[in-house]
Amino acid sequence: QLGASKAIRQWPAAAFTALATTLAIAGCRVLLVGGNGDRPLAAPVGAAVGARAIDSCGRTSVADQAALLAHADVLVSGDTGPMHMAVAVGTPVVGLFFGPASPFDTGPYSADNVVLHAAVPCAPCDHNVRCLDPFCRDELRPDTVAALVAARLTGDWERIDAVARAAAPVRVYRTTFDGDGRYTCTELGAPPARADDELRAAYRATFLAVFDDAAVPRAPRASGSVDVAPFAALGAVAKTGEALAARLAVEATGAAPSRAACERLGRELEVCDTTLREHGGTHPETAVLTQLFTFGKENLEGNDVVALAHETRELYRALALQATLMTALLGAGARDHDGDARAHQRP
């Protein structure tokens, strides 16, 4: 699968050409899939491969493409719709992730796929940022991808692990599901411990606790590699916003509500909102929490001041809880003193 929704999500055509040529020399038939918009990308690849290439771009319906993918032995693709279609029809995937794509967020949702992720400091980048030099696409080498495809075709996970070791600093993952049936990615090649992995684990534990009422991990998980101060500061702002929203709800429901007081509290809440957005921008490790809060505020509807105040208070309360959990997990660690510490039991 050559194309993607945006150029920053596309692996360079020259890289696909090198990969397809290598696979054809090894005896593989190369099927090029995609829509009409992918035909300019497919033409040079097909020309380079010659008779061993089948160019189906723009020549199939969605159902036809699913049928083709079902007959394929493996699909090489970026983070695209056809990648997920391959998963749906049971075809293994070798996924290419760079730019704003993260295999933990939108990776192929089945077991035993192979995913490469460009290990650059800015990955994954913000969807709203226009990158002037998307060098991360070049981090994934065609010879590495070819070796992983060859090993995945035979199910040789020892070989895949060896390729992963040689591919460093590019990260190679095996998709899997944990003991509770939740999707995750396991990094191959004996990777070193990294701060972003610790941050991701803390986020996973936090959201499982908040949304699925899972127990907070018993033992401290922190190594001190992630600064907890931004999360603690975020929690403090969130608690201020929660208190302001509560005061606004009380003022608006009083026997003689003061319009001036309500407007003043509204302005103070706007300051809190701005502070949170700026905090997420200056402390990107907290951006997941601030973005979720912002999305929640954008979804509030209606003109009932009391209802909006209550809903805003709940958004701030949730943010404060999430920030508190992240601070605990990344700091001293969350300890379970009562045998079953869960998010709803925490302040």
Side-chain angles (χ1 to χ4, degrees):
Q1 163 64 33
L2 300 161
S5 58
K6 296 180 180 179
I8 195 174
R9 290 177 171 270
Q10 292 177 359
W11 203 34
F16 268 119
T17 299
L19 171 64
T21 301
T22 300
L23 295 175
I25 292 173
C28 297
R29 295 296 298 274
V30 180
L31 172 66
L32 308 177
V33 297
N36 278 321
D38 299 322
R39 297 187 73 170
L41 299 172
V45 179
V49 174
R52 299 202 67 82
I54 303 171
D55 182 0
S56 70
C57 292
R59 297 178 171 87
T60 61
S61 66
V62 172
D64 292 337
Q65 187 172 101
L68 284 174
L69 290 172
H71 286 284
D73 295 306
V74 65
L75 174 69
V76 180
S77 174
D79 182 17
T80 66
M83 179 193 74
H84 299 290
M85 186 183 293
V87 169
V89 298
T91 298
V93 167
V94 173
L96 312 175
F97 282 70
F98 40 79
S102 167
F104 291 90
D105 296 339
T106 55
Y109 195 74
S110 63
D112 296 335
N113 300 294
V114 178
V115 177
L116 296 87
H117 193 210
V120 296
C122 50
C125 57
D126 191 297
H127 289 268
N128 299 315
V129 172
R130 181 181 177 185
C131 182
L132 300 179
D133 181 21
F135 66 95
C136 58
R137 300 180 301 173
D138 299 318
E139 295 292 301
L140 309 184
R141 293 168 50 90
D143 57 342
T144 298
V145 179
L148 290 171
V149 170
R152 183 62 188 84
L153 284 170
T154 60
D156 189 346
W157 289 99
E158 289 187 7
R159 175 59 182 159
I160 291 172
D161 192 70
V163 175
R165 291 173 185 268
V170 170
R171 301 175 188 177
V172 180
Y173 296 95
R174 180 178 184 174
T175 61
T176 186
F177 292 86
D178 64 20
D180 294 318
R182 301 185 183 98
Y183 169 84
T184 189
C185 299
T186 300
E187 189 168 358
L188 305 174
R194 289 184 294 261
D196 58 338
D197 294 325
E198 186 174 334
L199 183 64
R200 186 184 303 111
Y203 266 121
R204 186 179 181 88
T206 291
F207 287 123
L208 286 175
V210 170
F211 296 125
D212 204 29
D213 200 29
V216 179
R218 292 175 59 91
R221 306 177 63 171
S223 67
S225 58
V226 180
D227 185 8
V228 301
F231 288 98
L234 182 63
V237 176
K239 289 175 182 177
T240 297
E242 181 183 1
L244 287 170
R247 288 168 55 193
L248 176 59
V250 171
E251 180 64 37
T253 54
S258 166
R259 178 170 181 171
C262 289
E263 289 178 346
R264 176 178 55 78
L265 289 167
R267 288 193 296 271
E268 292 182 30
L269 280 168
E270 289 178 358
V271 171
C272 269
D273 290 354
T274 300
T275 301
L276 289 176
R277 288 195 298 271
E278 292 175 348
H279 188 89
T282 55
H283 299 283
E285 63 271 34
T286 68
V288 172
L289 299 184
T290 58
Q291 287 173 0
L292 282 176
F293 174 85
T294 299
F295 293 154
K297 286 297 297 289
E298 291 173 350
N299 285 329
L300 296 183
E301 296 180 343
N303 298 313
D304 186 330
V305 174
V306 176
L308 290 173
H310 283 301
E311 292 171 353
T312 298
R313 180 188 179 186
E314 285 305 303
L315 288 173
Y316 271 112
R317 187 199 67 79
L319 177 60
L321 171 61
Q322 293 158 14
T324 298
L325 288 174
M326 289 295 291
T327 302
L329 287 165
L330 293 169
R335 292 185 180 274
D336 175 4
H337 297 290
D338 300 320
D340 189 21
R342 296 178 184 269
H344 70 270
Q345 296 173 343
R346 293 184 172 267

